[in-house]
Amino acid sequence: MRCWKLAQTKEYLHSGNKPDEELEFHIEICPECQSLMHAAAEEEKIWTELLFPESLPNDFTEQVMASLEQVDIEPARPPQPVSPKRRRSSKPFMKKSALWIASLLIVTAAFTLYAQPSIADWVRSIFTKETTDSGIMDARQLGILQNPHVKVKDKGYTIEINEVVADTTRLVMGVKITDPQGEPVVNQVSWTDLRILDLDGNEVAQLRETSGSKTLEKLTFAFTREIHTDELNVVGHVEEIGNQFSKQIVKGKWDFKFKVDMKKANALNIITPLNEKYITPDGLQIEMEKLVRTPSGVQLQLSTSLSGEAAKRSPEDMESQQKLMFHFENEQGEDISSVNNSRGGHPETIISQQSELQSGKRHWTYTFRYLPYDRQKLRFVLDGYSIPVKSNGSVELVPSKLKSHPVIFKDQGDEITLSSFVIGQDPNLQEQKTAGLIQMKGTFKNEFDKDAWFVRDPDGREYFTSFRGSISMGEMKEASGDPGFIVYEMTELPEKVTLIRTVTDKWYSNVNWSFELPKGKPIPGLENVDPQSYFGTEAP
């Protein structure tokens, strides 16, 4: 259907009619009509507040009677035949009729306005400004929005899905849940049994983000493998609505299943090969593979591998915990998107990052909701990387003297002050269980969260040790304990112990690599689209 003008929108609002299915769906997916509806509703609200306050004044009746005192009301007359040659003037009648009609219109308008449902009650969509992004808007522009017509009801609660956007970047769906009174319900369902399957029944995506608004949940799935099929199945199994924070938990059955057509979206993908390589001074090789522009976003694919020496420092599962830090910038040097970066930028543009080891190389896929390399010149800039490495930094402690004589641990640019060592309740457990508690505070050049620690007593017994506390992000990270280090299974303080770090989540900043991305071809249908035009501001 065609979009309305503002006058038509106002006329519809005042009609009091409920939207039919076609109209409701159109408004939910059309930001222009949503803006018109909101503008008309705001104007309606202003006039309502001016003309029709929430309650009538106490002297309303007296005011009306007083205003009628100045109006001459003639007594009723018996009907008289009308002469064909002479007509009575109708001015007094028209004057009084206009007065009463105006009064009736005011009263009718008041009831009409107050009877209107809130616009927000039925404008529940993934395309509203608070729930959408430029990639989703691009996808809608290209016509890959699908309506699976899902509507399941049990125990008075209804789950409805009529908006799905899917391509090889992500699958996004809007879920509306309504209670028996027709009020929206959000954040009350665990979606652990909502799965995206290929035609062989293999699960191909993971739920990466649950967002939305006060009336709708927006679920974003990122694919865990390349999608080559033209059809996917979405299978949902919901047994309860509510959680530990809600007033009640309602048991029921809200199962659903629908198919998603991927054929049109797959045909729109544009691949831009990348042929850049870089080897860091410490032996990490990065090979850029390709950029894939899809209707709703962008995928960056690359691979990493370790030299022989680097592999010795990070054996077995340590290699899998590596993390690249990089960003994209425009010709003015402004950040467009940042990945794993403490330097700021736009981390919200990335949806997911995942890797898989194949033939000695780790293949990475980074999924972005916005990366406009097909619209402007962008540069990839490597900021650094982290990877756990074997280490053996240590310091000796005398627990009984630590409070009066704090000890400092120094290793690989990290510095920790240890100021207390006591036996107390393990703060990670509710049941009674003691552990060694080391109070600490430190600054870290490295990443710290994948470090491995243990405490060794004079008899050679080793106690697994972990950190509990807070870490502030930045170029130099600060950590403070709550209580700090927890030494598990320790029930009494030894005379002397050694704190040892066996794995350091090593941060490497000694890199110097950037390159300009090749200009990508725009998807046909988006050649002249400016993402900022969707929102009137910077594209999210």
Side-chain angles (χ1 to χ4, degrees):
M1 64 174 291
R2 292 185 177 180
C3 297
W4 283 349
K5 303 295 185 183
L6 182 59
Q8 292 173 294
T9 306
K10 290 180 182 178
E11 182 180 352
Y12 170 75
L13 282 177
H14 287 284
S15 72
N17 296 328
K18 291 184 178 180
D20 58 31
E21 185 176 346
E22 180 186 8
L23 172 60
E24 183 175 0
F25 184 67
H26 175 80
I27 293 175
E28 287 180 347
I29 66 172
C30 179
E32 291 82 6
C33 285
Q34 289 171 19
S35 298
L36 282 177
M37 293 295 288
H38 285 294
E42 283 299 313
E43 185 174 330
E44 171 190 307
K45 180 181 177 182
I46 293 171
W47 281 108
T48 300
E49 291 173 350
L50 288 172
L51 296 173
F52 315 109
E54 292 184 2
S55 60
L56 294 173
N58 294 330
D59 60 344
F60 174 75
T61 303
E62 289 78 4
Q63 291 182 33
V64 173
M65 297 307 296
S67 65
L68 292 176
E69 285 180 359
Q70 306 301 320
V71 179
D72 294 325
I73 302 177
E74 298 179 0
R77 297 179 180 178
Q80 296 180 8
V82 178
S83 170
K85 295 183 180 180
R86 183 180 178 184
R87 260 182 210 181
R88 287 181 54 202
S89 171
S90 61
K91 288 183 180 180
F93 171 78
M94 292 295 292
K95 186 176 181 180
K96 287 191 275 287
S97 296
L99 173 64
W100 288 107
I101 290 172
S103 301
L104 284 171
L105 284 174
I106 291 174
V107 174
T108 303
F111 279 107
T112 301
L113 287 171
Y114 281 116
Q116 294 299 317
S118 169
I119 302 302
D121 287 343
W122 51 276
V123 179
R124 302 166 65 184
S125 171
I126 61 174
F127 294 101
T128 60
K129 188 172 182 179
E130 62 182 321
T131 58
T132 196
D133 59 62
S134 58
I136 294 294
M137 299 295 281
D138 281 346
R140 191 194 65 166
Q141 179 85 6
L142 293 168
I144 67 167
L145 174 65
Q146 301 178 49
N147 184 353
H149 299 286
V150 170
K151 191 171 186 178
V152 290
K153 187 173 182 178
D154 192 19
K155 305 297 172 56
Y157 285 78
T158 302
I159 293 181
E160 187 176 358
I161 303 171
N162 55 26
E163 292 177 327
V164 176
V165 169
D167 58 21
T168 55
T169 295
R170 52 178 162 165
L171 186 151
V172 181
M173 67 179 75
V175 182
K176 307 173 190 176
I177 305 176
T178 308
D179 68 11
Q181 288 72 46
E183 295 296 322
V185 175
V186 294
N187 302 321
Q188 300 292 306
V189 171
S190 170
W191 298 108
T192 53
D193 283 332
L194 178 55
R195 298 182 298 156
I196 316 299
L197 309 175
D198 63 16
L199 297 183
D200 295 323
N202 301 310
E203 195 162 358
V204 295
Q206 292 180 349
L207 180 61
R208 294 288 184 173
E209 181 180 87
T210 302
S211 58
S213 65
K214 294 180 180 179
T215 61
L216 172 134
E217 288 188 51
K218 175 186 171 187
L219 308 181
T220 300
F221 288 81
F223 291 105
T224 55
R225 63 182 71 179
E226 288 194 65
I227 302 299
H228 301 291
T229 181
D230 286 338
E231 192 175 270
L232 295 173
N233 289 317
V234 178
V235 180
H237 180 64
V238 179
E239 289 186 330
E240 62 181 39
I241 295 177
N243 54 43
Q244 58 180 331
F245 303 107
S246 56
K247 295 180 180 178
Q248 63 176 337
I249 296 178
V250 180
K251 303 283 187 178
K253 187 175 182 180
W254 297 271
D255 293 351
F256 55 86
K257 180 179 180 180
F258 61 89
K259 293 185 180 298
V260 176
D261 187 353
M262 301 287 290
K263 189 173 184 179
K264 183 176 181 179
N266 289 342
L268 292 171
N269 292 345
I270 295 180
I271 297 175
T272 302
L274 300 175
N275 299 303
E276 304 287 340
K277 293 183 181 180
Y278 177 68
I279 300 177
T280 70
D282 290 281
L284 176 70
Q285 178 169 294
I286 304 172
E287 298 178 63
M288 310 302 287
E289 295 175 354
K290 60 184 175 181
L291 286 162
V292 183
R293 175 68 164 102
T294 73
S296 77
V298 172
Q299 286 183 339
L300 169 65
Q301 297 184 21
L302 59 87
S303 64
T304 59
S305 56
L306 298 177
S307 67
E309 285 300 314
K312 289 179 182 178
R313 293 192 298 268
S314 304
E316 300 173 357
D317 65 333
M318 292 188 195
E319 178 273 339
S320 67
Q321 300 178 64
Q322 63 183 274
K323 187 167 64 175
L324 296 183
M325 287 80 161
F326 58 89
H327 71 276
F328 297 92
E329 60 185 36
N330 60 19
E331 289 183 280
Q332 291 72 45
E334 301 168 331
D335 278 17
I336 297 298
S337 179
S338 297
V339 177
N340 300 325
N341 227 314
S342 58
R343 64 193 298 276
H346 291 275
E348 75 281 356
T349 59
I350 188 166
I351 299 170
S352 67
Q353 52 187 303
Q354 53 205 22
S355 69
E356 184 179 10
L357 190 62
Q358 296 177 355
S359 304
K361 292 183 179 180
R362 183 156 295 278
H363 290 267
W364 291 88
T365 299
Y366 296 87
T367 302
F368 301 86
R369 54 173 57 90
Y370 177 71
L371 190 63
Y373 69 100
D374 56 343
R375 297 181 175 115
Q376 56 183 292
K377 287 185 178 180
L378 295 183
R379 176 169 290 274
F380 171 95
V381 182
L382 180 66
D383 299 305
Y385 65 99
S386 68
I387 185 170
V389 299
K390 294 188 296 183
S391 61
N392 58 2
S394 64
V395 65
E396 287 192 351
L397 312 174
V398 178
S400 60
K401 295 182 179 180
L402 201 56
K403 188 169 285 188
S404 57
H405 296 86
V407 172
I408 297 177
F409 171 93
K410 290 184 178 181
D411 182 42
Q412 301 183 67
D414 302 333
E415 186 171 311
I416 306 171
T417 300
L418 308 164
S419 57
S420 173
F421 196 157
V422 298
I423 298 295
Q425 169 64 31
D426 184 342
N428 291 329
L429 300 176
Q430 292 185 344
E431 66 267 23
Q432 288 290 325
K433 189 160 187 178
T434 59
L437 307 176
I438 304 176
Q439 192 72 37
M440 59 81 73
K441 189 173 184 179
T443 57
F444 293 84
K445 174 186 176 182
N446 297 297
E447 288 298 286
F448 185 68
D449 59 322
K450 295 184 180 71
D451 286 3
W453 301 80
F454 72 89
V455 166
R456 179 185 293 141
D457 68 15
D459 297 327
R461 183 178 177 184
E462 295 178 349
Y463 301 84
F464 173 69
T465 301
S466 71
F467 170 76
R468 175 186 165 115
S470 61
I471 302 174
S472 65
M473 303 307 294
E475 194 168 326
M476 289 296 292
K477 302 159 200 56
E478 294 186 359
S480 57
D482 178 25
F485 288 117
I486 302 174
V487 187
Y488 298 97
E489 304 295 332
M490 182 172 281
T491 57
E492 59 182 30
L493 286 180
E495 182 180 343
K496 185 183 293 185
V497 298
T498 304
L499 176 66
I500 303 169
R501 179 165 67 175
T502 58
V503 175
T504 301
D505 195 1
K506 183 77 172 177
W507 158 249
Y508 295 92
S509 58
N510 56 338
V511 297
N512 183 21
W513 185 45
S514 69
F515 65 90
E516 187 175 299
L517 298 180
K519 184 76 178 293
K521 294 180 180 179
I523 294 178
L526 297 178
E527 298 93 341
N528 300 314
V529 173
D530 179 5
Q532 296 186 20
S533 67
Y534 292 137
F535 312 99
T537 56
E538 185 178 352

